[in-house]
Every structure is written in structure tokens, then in C-alpha cells.
Amino acid sequence: MKVNDTMSKSLVCLAVLILFLFASLFYTGTIDYRSSFSLFDSPLSKPNPCFTEESDIEPLKVYMYDLEMKYNVGFLKGSSHYNAPPVTIDTLPKWPKYTGLRKQHSVEYWMLASLLYSIDDENGRTREAVRVFDPESANVFFVPFFSSLSYNTYYRHGNDSEVKYDDQLQAELMDFLQKSEHWKRSAGRDHVIPMHHPNAFRRYREKVNAAIFIVADFGRPPPTVSNLRKDVVAPYAHVVETFEADDISDPYESRTTLLFFRGRTDRKDDGKDRQQMKDMLSGQKDVVFEAAGISGKGVNESTNGMRLSKFCLHPAGDTPSSCRLFDAIVSHCVPVIVSDRIELPFEDELDYTEFSIFFSREEAKKEGYMLDQLRSVSKARWVEMWGYLKKISHHFEYQYPPKKGDAVNMIWREVKHKLPATQLDVHRNRRLKVPDWWR
């Protein structure tokens, strides 16, 4: 009994001693209590519009296949079926003054051009991806086939022979990839293929569905072909000019239109909602709803309309997305997004609720509901969203030479984010006897 009492007293004394030492350290400041209780030390602050820590990390290493010009920039040469040796930085043509779909889906050009460019800024951090010429050192393989431009050039506007030429290019490229040792080694999982137009590379998509696609959305192909797990959503190239001089002292009062929309209403699938919204919104106070295209004169009218509006309506088109969202962003007009199935670019780094307002399709079609909600947004909240748009709009600019944080660099960042899952798939594929047994 005495032994137990002695042990109990010893334990109590030891506990008191430990508490005394801890209190002394706490009091003298030797222990930084804030490291454990920082949540209560200061209020939570909003994150930066886009994280930049990765700028100090080694860029993505990309091996670009040397394809003849007929598969890419030959489309820009003006003559039909132009061909020449693979493009270099010296033979890269400037992007023409295209409008419409050719410009909107031009991401393939800017990705190729960014890999030809080899100059960093003064801090050495312009590029998120660099071209390597040793395939063994590459993280990913880039396939420079302008599938969207081929579709828009030969399929949408061509005759039967031109349609067949688009199919021929796809077939030739498919044959090239299947013979490539790099493709066979990973079954294409570490290959990056731009397919931004929803109908691009339509003949052979299912045969290359393990690759990383660069897409506008997931409205057309089935999930087994294209999905958010492996693919990258890239922004459309905006059609209106960026609002560079948007430094008005009171932007809220200077934008006299509450809600603006200009676009076609004869759409398919979810885009059919546009006609119903037109019937509800046309003629409403402070609302401009124009059923018209955006080519030619319409570009200037859309530019002026967006710059004079607080909110810009973005309903679904033939697929869940459209160029209008990105026109609104560079116009600093708060996007009003109506879509139940839209996926957005760079959403692992950007919180779109900071600068956009979302409605479901059913909410948008309730008489008066959407306008009531927009009118309830306070001036302070709108100005906050407008300021956020100004901070992040550079992430949606395609340009050459590329600049830090612009659209093409953000896309390469997104590709890099896909690599862990890609490497898992590659490694599993090499040892599995029955692929995807768990499905």
C-alpha cells in the first residue's frame, strides 16, 4: 500500500512540474502559441485570385511531336492543303484576324506557339511549360494537330472533298500515334491533344480517349471519352477587345444597363432556353436582350453593350459553355451563368462565385426571379466583384509572346495538375493483366 501511495505522490509531483514548466515557457514567449491556435488569432482572409507559388517550381517538360505544317499552321497559310516541314519559331505565322469559331477555339495555336517561344521574363518565370527535345526527359507529349481549325476549315465550310480531307488528316494522325513508341508505352495517357471544338477529331476520339484532352466543356462526348478527371477545360479566346481603360471612379453608376445579352437564340439542347429567356427579358427595364450574331458589326455592339452593363447573361449554347462568358470577363461585366452542366477553366485555383452569379436553368426561367435577384445585389458587393474581375482577367488572355499567368500558361499548369493521376494510370497499365478490373 505504501509503495502505491508513494508512486501516486510521485506522479502528481511530476505532473505539477510539467505544468509549471509549460506555463513558464508560455509566459516568457518561448513557445509560439499562435502556431497551434492561429485560427483564432486573426480573422480568415480571402485567398489571392490565383495562387502563384508554382512559379518557383520547375516548369512542365513537354516533348512536341514534329508534325508537318499540314496538320497545324498550314491551315493559316491561305492556300488549300498547304504543307511544309514542321514549324519553327522562325516560320510560325501570326494568328490571322479571324473572328467567330476559328478564333474562339484557337487554343491549339497558342499552345504550340508557347512551346516554340524560349525566352523568359526578367525573373525567369514566364513559362509554365518548356519544350524538351529528349523524349525520355519529358513529363508529357504534345500532339500539335489543329483539330478544331481543321473541323472549322474543312468540315463546316467545305464541300465533300474537304470533309474527306479532314477525315484523312485524322486517320493519318491516328496511324502516326499508334506507331509511336512513346504512345504505346503509356497507351497515350501522358499525351496532350487539343480538341476544343466539341466536334473536333470526331472520327477517332474514342481511340485516343486515354490522352489528356484540352476541351471547352463536356457537352458532347460521353464520360468514357472525355471527363474532368483526366482532361483540362480551357477558356474560349474572347472575341471582344479587353477593357483596358476601365478605371472609372464610379463604375457602378457609369454602367446604366442592369443585364446585357447579345447572341443567337436558335440553339440546340440546353441552348433552347435562350428563346424562353428572350420572351421573358425583352422589354424589361434596364435590360438589353438582342438576338443577333457577334461577327462583324456585332462585335463592336457587343463590346459597347458589355462595357455599359453591370451584369452579362451567359446561358448555355449548343453545349454548356460559350465564348460569351469570357467576353464578359475581359469587359469586367459580372457574368450571370445559367447552366446546370457547365465546367469552368482553372476552377481549382479560381473561385468563380467571387466574380460571377449562378442560376440553374429552372431558376432562370421563373418569371421575374433572376431580375429580382440581380437588383438585390448591393453596390458594394457589385464593386467588389468588378474589382475581382479586373484582377483575374489576364488569366483569360491568349497572346504571343506568352506572359506570366496568361491563358496558355494557366492551361499548362492545369496539365501539370493532372500528372499524378496520369502517372498512376500509366504505372497500373504496365502491370495489370486485366485493365480496369474494378470497373
Side-chain angles (χ1 to χ4, degrees):
M1 182 67 70
K2 290 183 178 181
V3 173
N4 290 338
D5 290 343
T6 302
M7 289 181 64
S8 298
K9 291 179 180 179
S10 299
L11 290 171
V12 171
C13 290
L14 180 61
V16 170
L17 179 62
I18 291 172
L19 287 171
F20 176 79
L21 289 172
F22 182 80
S24 298
L25 290 171
F26 190 95
Y27 179 77
T28 58
T30 308
I31 293 179
D32 185 2
Y33 65 92
R34 291 171 298 179
S35 63
S36 298
F37 299 99
S38 58
L39 179 64
F40 307 103
D41 183 56
S42 60
L44 292 174
S45 58
K46 291 183 179 179
N48 291 327
C50 189
F51 304 114
T52 57
E53 289 85 348
E54 287 192 26
S55 298
D56 298 323
I57 299 176
E58 187 176 1
L60 184 72
K61 296 177 181 178
V62 184
Y63 180 85
M64 179 166 64
Y65 286 107
D66 281 325
L67 299 182
E68 295 174 312
M69 284 192 185
K70 70 176 183 177
Y71 296 104
N72 41 67
V73 298
F75 301 140
L76 307 177
K77 290 293 188 176
S79 60
S80 180
H81 304 184
Y82 178 90
N83 197 17
V87 63
T88 67
I89 193 168
D90 296 320
T91 60
L92 176 70
K94 291 183 178 180
W95 178 256
K97 293 183 178 180
Y98 286 151
T99 58
L101 292 176
R102 293 184 183 185
K103 180 177 183 179
Q104 294 174 28
H105 298 291
S106 60
V107 56
E108 51 208 7
Y109 171 86
W110 305 107
M111 293 185 75
L112 180 150
S114 73
L115 294 177
L116 295 177
Y117 189 73
S118 59
I119 302 173
D120 282 325
D121 62 9
E122 64 274 12
N123 298 316
R125 294 197 297 256
T126 294
R127 296 174 294 158
E128 295 287 343
V130 295
R131 186 183 187 184
V132 296
F133 294 90
D134 176 12
E136 298 304 319
S137 67
N139 302 123
V140 294
F141 295 79
F142 181 64
V143 182
F145 174 44
F146 289 5
S147 58
S148 295
L149 192 54
S150 180
Y151 174 81
N152 283 318
T153 300
Y154 298 122
Y155 192 90
R156 290 190 75 250
H157 301 289
N159 53 32
D160 288 344
S161 64
E162 298 291 0
V163 170
K164 290 178 180 178
Y165 186 65
D166 178 34
D167 292 342
Q168 175 188 326
L169 292 177
Q170 295 177 54
E172 291 175 359
L173 184 66
M174 193 68 243
D175 182 63
F176 171 83
L177 290 174
Q178 289 179 332
K179 291 178 179 177
S180 166
E181 292 300 320
H182 311 306
W183 178 274
K184 289 189 284 188
R185 185 172 59 186
S186 67
R189 289 177 172 84
D190 54 2
H191 283 55
V192 179
I193 308 178
M195 297 185 189
H196 202 256
H197 190 284
N199 292 327
F201 212 85
R202 69 200 185 286
R203 298 293 187 196
Y204 296 95
R205 275 192 174 191
E206 293 187 0
K207 293 184 179 295
V208 295
N209 65 342
I212 301 170
F213 296 165
I214 309 299
V215 301
D217 56 41
F218 302 103
R220 291 273 170 84
T224 54
V225 173
S226 184
N227 57 74
L228 192 58
R229 178 182 181 273
K230 72 177 186 70
D231 298 332
V232 171
V233 178
Y236 292 66
H238 58 83
V239 175
V240 305
E241 292 295 323
T242 301
F243 197 179
E244 300 284 0
D246 193 10
D247 296 316
I248 302 168
S249 59
D250 193 343
Y252 184 85
E253 296 300 333
S254 70
R255 294 176 179 248
T256 54
T257 300
L258 176 71
L259 181 64
F260 177 85
F261 173 85
R262 193 175 197 280
R264 298 188 184 280
T265 55
D266 53 336
R267 301 285 84 180
K268 295 176 284 188
D269 300 324
D270 293 357
K272 293 178 180 178
D273 293 346
R274 292 187 181 188
Q275 183 59 50
Q276 189 169 343
M277 281 185 264
K278 176 179 180 293
D279 296 338
M280 287 194 309
L281 296 172
S282 294
Q284 294 287 334
K285 180 183 177 182
D286 303 333
V287 174
V288 174
F289 195 110
E290 299 176 348
I294 197 172
S295 58
K297 182 181 177 183
V299 174
N300 292 331
E301 293 179 357
S302 292
T303 300
N304 295 331
M306 288 185 169
R307 294 182 181 184
L308 291 173
S309 303
K310 297 179 178 68
F311 300 97
C312 287
L313 182 62
H314 172 70
D318 290 342
T319 63
S321 65
S322 79
C323 180
R324 195 162 290 96
L325 168 61
F326 309 102
D327 288 341
I329 288 174
V330 299
S331 301
H332 311 148
C333 179
V334 175
V336 176
I337 300 174
V338 180
S339 179
D340 296 340
R341 300 184 299 137
I342 194 169
E343 296 295 343
L344 299 165
F346 323 138
E347 202 166 6
D348 58 344
E349 299 195 57
L350 293 177
D351 181 359
Y352 279 74
T353 63
E354 295 285 352
F355 56 87
S356 306
I357 295 178
F358 292 82
F359 293 96
S360 69
R361 292 175 61 203
E362 290 306 312
E363 288 174 334
K365 290 184 287 186
K366 292 179 181 177
E367 191 74 39
Y369 178 78
M370 186 162 54
L371 291 182
D372 288 344
Q373 294 298 310
L374 295 180
R375 289 194 173 103
S376 70
V377 176
S378 68
K379 178 178 179 178
R381 175 58 182 146
W382 183 89
V383 170
E384 183 180 26
M385 300 174 86
W386 169 81
Y388 209 95
L389 283 167
K390 293 181 66 177
K391 289 180 181 179
I392 57 90
S393 62
H394 67 286
H395 294 314
F396 300 90
E397 298 286 354
Y398 290 104
Q399 57 206 335
Y400 184 83
K403 294 182 180 180
K404 180 181 177 182
D406 67 3
V408 75
N409 274 301
M410 291 292 286
I411 291 168
W412 285 121
R413 280 166 70 99
E414 292 295 299
V415 171
K416 193 173 185 179
H417 295 168
K418 301 293 182 180
L419 286 186
T422 298
Q423 289 301 318
L424 173 63
D425 288 343
V426 169
H427 295 163
R428 289 182 70 250
N429 186 61
R430 289 175 182 171
R431 56 92 177 167
L432 284 178
K433 301 298 183 182
V434 181
D436 293 339
W437 59 268
W438 49 273
R439 290 184 187 273

mmCIF file of all heavy atoms in Angstrom, residues 51 58 63 69 74 78-79 108 119 143 196 223 234 265 301 303 336 356 366 401:
data_model
loop_
_atom_site.group_PDB
_atom_site.id
_atom_site.type_symbol
_atom_site.label_atom_id
_atom_site.label_comp_id
_atom_site.label_asym_id
_atom_site.label_seq_id
_atom_site.Cartn_x
_atom_site.Cartn_y
_atom_site.Cartn_z
ATOM 1 N N PHE A 51 -3.382 31.357 -57.170
ATOM 2 C CA PHE A 51 -2.153 31.011 -56.483
ATOM 3 C C PHE A 51 -0.965 31.136 -57.435
ATOM 4 O O PHE A 51 -1.063 30.837 -58.608
ATOM 5 C CB PHE A 51 -2.231 29.587 -55.932
ATOM 6 C CG PHE A 51 -3.394 29.366 -55.024
ATOM 7 C CD1 PHE A 51 -4.406 28.512 -55.386
ATOM 8 C CD2 PHE A 51 -3.485 30.027 -53.807
ATOM 9 C CE1 PHE A 51 -5.482 28.297 -54.564
ATOM 10 C CE2 PHE A 51 -4.561 29.821 -52.969
ATOM 11 C CZ PHE A 51 -5.566 28.958 -53.342
ATOM 12 N N GLU A 58 9.931 23.882 -60.938
ATOM 13 C CA GLU A 58 10.413 23.571 -62.275
ATOM 14 C C GLU A 58 9.240 23.458 -63.246
ATOM 15 O O GLU A 58 8.238 22.821 -62.953
ATOM 16 C CB GLU A 58 11.188 22.254 -62.234
ATOM 17 C CG GLU A 58 11.880 21.915 -63.536
ATOM 18 C CD GLU A 58 12.712 20.654 -63.417
ATOM 19 O OE1 GLU A 58 12.724 20.051 -62.327
ATOM 20 O OE2 GLU A 58 13.337 20.276 -64.418
ATOM 21 N N TYR A 63 7.489 17.296 -74.600
ATOM 22 C CA TYR A 63 8.042 16.878 -75.885
ATOM 23 C C TYR A 63 6.962 17.075 -76.940
ATOM 24 O O TYR A 63 5.876 16.504 -76.838
ATOM 25 C CB TYR A 63 8.473 15.410 -75.854
ATOM 26 C CG TYR A 63 9.065 14.913 -77.158
ATOM 27 C CD1 TYR A 63 10.413 15.105 -77.444
ATOM 28 C CD2 TYR A 63 8.272 14.273 -78.104
ATOM 29 C CE1 TYR A 63 10.964 14.660 -78.641
ATOM 30 C CE2 TYR A 63 8.810 13.827 -79.311
ATOM 31 C CZ TYR A 63 10.154 14.024 -79.573
ATOM 32 O OH TYR A 63 10.691 13.592 -80.763
ATOM 33 N N MET A 69 3.444 20.848 -91.486
ATOM 34 C CA MET A 69 2.553 22.002 -91.323
ATOM 35 C C MET A 69 1.112 21.718 -91.728
ATOM 36 O O MET A 69 0.198 22.423 -91.287
ATOM 37 C CB MET A 69 3.074 23.196 -92.118
ATOM 38 C CG MET A 69 4.252 23.903 -91.503
ATOM 39 S SD MET A 69 4.559 25.477 -92.335
ATOM 40 C CE MET A 69 6.072 26.002 -91.516
ATOM 41 N N GLY A 74 -0.313 25.094 -91.299
ATOM 42 C CA GLY A 74 -0.608 25.137 -92.723
ATOM 43 C C GLY A 74 -2.010 25.630 -93.013
ATOM 44 O O GLY A 74 -2.277 26.212 -94.075
ATOM 45 N N GLY A 78 -3.420 30.205 -96.079
ATOM 46 C CA GLY A 78 -4.275 30.762 -97.115
ATOM 47 C C GLY A 78 -4.546 29.834 -98.279
ATOM 48 O O GLY A 78 -5.630 29.855 -98.857
ATOM 49 N N SER A 79 -3.585 29.006 -98.651
ATOM 50 C CA SER A 79 -3.801 28.076 -99.765
ATOM 51 C C SER A 79 -4.273 26.736 -99.230
ATOM 52 O O SER A 79 -3.835 26.284 -98.166
ATOM 53 C CB SER A 79 -2.516 27.894 -100.566
ATOM 54 O OG SER A 79 -1.483 27.387 -99.748
ATOM 55 N N GLU A 108 -5.298 25.653 -79.614
ATOM 56 C CA GLU A 108 -4.262 24.778 -80.173
ATOM 57 C C GLU A 108 -3.089 25.581 -80.727
ATOM 58 O O GLU A 108 -1.920 25.188 -80.588
ATOM 59 C CB GLU A 108 -4.876 23.893 -81.260
ATOM 60 C CG GLU A 108 -5.656 24.658 -82.304
ATOM 61 C CD GLU A 108 -6.781 23.854 -82.954
ATOM 62 O OE1 GLU A 108 -7.048 22.719 -82.506
ATOM 63 O OE2 GLU A 108 -7.381 24.364 -83.918
ATOM 64 N N ILE A 119 12.050 32.316 -74.438
ATOM 65 C CA ILE A 119 12.607 33.428 -73.666
ATOM 66 C C ILE A 119 11.767 33.649 -72.424
ATOM 67 O O ILE A 119 10.548 33.749 -72.499
ATOM 68 C CB ILE A 119 12.635 34.717 -74.510
ATOM 69 C CG1 ILE A 119 13.452 34.487 -75.795
ATOM 70 C CG2 ILE A 119 13.221 35.873 -73.709
ATOM 71 C CD1 ILE A 119 13.393 35.647 -76.762
ATOM 72 N N VAL A 143 0.674 16.799 -78.933
ATOM 73 C CA VAL A 143 0.332 16.452 -80.312
ATOM 74 C C VAL A 143 -0.179 17.721 -81.001
ATOM 75 O O VAL A 143 -1.329 18.129 -80.781
ATOM 76 C CB VAL A 143 -0.734 15.342 -80.362
ATOM 77 C CG1 VAL A 143 -1.036 14.978 -81.813
ATOM 78 C CG2 VAL A 143 -0.275 14.117 -79.573
ATOM 79 N N HIS A 196 -10.698 21.441 -78.744
ATOM 80 C CA HIS A 196 -11.529 22.449 -78.092
ATOM 81 C C HIS A 196 -12.916 22.556 -78.698
ATOM 82 O O HIS A 196 -13.901 22.738 -77.969
ATOM 83 C CB HIS A 196 -10.813 23.803 -78.124
ATOM 84 C CG HIS A 196 -11.284 24.765 -77.085
ATOM 85 N ND1 HIS A 196 -12.115 25.823 -77.368
ATOM 86 C CD2 HIS A 196 -11.059 24.818 -75.748
ATOM 87 C CE1 HIS A 196 -12.360 26.498 -76.259
ATOM 88 N NE2 HIS A 196 -11.738 25.914 -75.260
ATOM 89 N N PRO A 223 -18.776 10.377 -71.036
ATOM 90 C CA PRO A 223 -17.751 10.434 -69.975
ATOM 91 C C PRO A 223 -16.618 9.433 -70.160
ATOM 92 O O PRO A 223 -15.522 9.643 -69.644
ATOM 93 C CB PRO A 223 -18.553 10.142 -68.700
ATOM 94 C CG PRO A 223 -19.959 10.494 -69.035
ATOM 95 C CD PRO A 223 -20.129 10.191 -70.484
ATOM 96 N N ALA A 234 -10.369 24.526 -71.057
ATOM 97 C CA ALA A 234 -9.661 25.748 -71.439
ATOM 98 C C ALA A 234 -10.658 26.826 -71.851
ATOM 99 O O ALA A 234 -11.700 26.517 -72.437
ATOM 100 C CB ALA A 234 -8.706 25.460 -72.599
ATOM 101 N N THR A 265 -30.367 32.974 -80.645
ATOM 102 C CA THR A 265 -31.329 32.262 -79.796
ATOM 103 C C THR A 265 -31.780 30.939 -80.415
ATOM 104 O O THR A 265 -32.470 30.156 -79.767
ATOM 105 C CB THR A 265 -32.573 33.134 -79.537
ATOM 106 O OG1 THR A 265 -33.129 33.539 -80.793
ATOM 107 C CG2 THR A 265 -32.196 34.367 -78.727
ATOM 108 N N GLU A 301 -20.847 46.216 -81.253
ATOM 109 C CA GLU A 301 -22.060 46.429 -80.467
ATOM 110 C C GLU A 301 -22.010 45.620 -79.167
ATOM 111 O O GLU A 301 -22.455 46.101 -78.118
ATOM 112 C CB GLU A 301 -23.277 46.046 -81.302
ATOM 113 C CG GLU A 301 -23.494 46.974 -82.492
ATOM 114 C CD GLU A 301 -24.693 46.583 -83.330
ATOM 115 O OE1 GLU A 301 -25.323 45.553 -83.021
ATOM 116 O OE2 GLU A 301 -25.001 47.318 -84.298
ATOM 117 N N THR A 303 -19.214 44.744 -77.623
ATOM 118 C CA THR A 303 -18.187 45.400 -76.811
ATOM 119 C C THR A 303 -18.775 46.573 -76.039
ATOM 120 O O THR A 303 -18.619 46.691 -74.817
ATOM 121 C CB THR A 303 -17.025 45.888 -77.693
ATOM 122 O OG1 THR A 303 -16.436 44.770 -78.369
ATOM 123 C CG2 THR A 303 -15.968 46.588 -76.863
ATOM 124 N N VAL A 336 -23.448 36.341 -65.463
ATOM 125 C CA VAL A 336 -24.610 35.657 -64.897
ATOM 126 C C VAL A 336 -24.715 34.327 -65.648
ATOM 127 O O VAL A 336 -25.133 34.289 -66.811
ATOM 128 C CB VAL A 336 -25.894 36.497 -65.069
ATOM 129 C CG1 VAL A 336 -27.107 35.732 -64.561
ATOM 130 C CG2 VAL A 336 -25.744 37.826 -64.337
ATOM 131 N N SER A 356 -18.874 35.964 -60.190
ATOM 132 C CA SER A 356 -19.973 35.545 -61.067
ATOM 133 C C SER A 356 -21.202 35.221 -60.223
ATOM 134 O O SER A 356 -21.092 34.975 -59.014
ATOM 135 C CB SER A 356 -19.587 34.302 -61.882
ATOM 136 O OG SER A 356 -18.385 34.494 -62.587
ATOM 137 N N LYS A 366 -37.969 31.159 -64.232
ATOM 138 C CA LYS A 366 -39.060 31.634 -63.382
ATOM 139 C C LYS A 366 -39.293 33.113 -63.655
ATOM 140 O O LYS A 366 -38.363 33.918 -63.576
ATOM 141 C CB LYS A 366 -38.715 31.433 -61.898
ATOM 142 C CG LYS A 366 -38.660 29.983 -61.453
ATOM 143 C CD LYS A 366 -38.285 29.910 -59.978
ATOM 144 C CE LYS A 366 -38.181 28.476 -59.491
ATOM 145 N NZ LYS A 366 -37.755 28.407 -58.062
ATOM 146 N N PRO A 401 4.248 36.996 -77.752
ATOM 147 C CA PRO A 401 4.780 36.017 -76.800
ATOM 148 C C PRO A 401 3.868 35.839 -75.579
ATOM 149 O O PRO A 401 3.150 36.777 -75.208
ATOM 150 C CB PRO A 401 6.130 36.623 -76.395
ATOM 151 C CG PRO A 401 6.449 37.650 -77.432
ATOM 152 C CD PRO A 401 5.153 38.162 -77.907
#
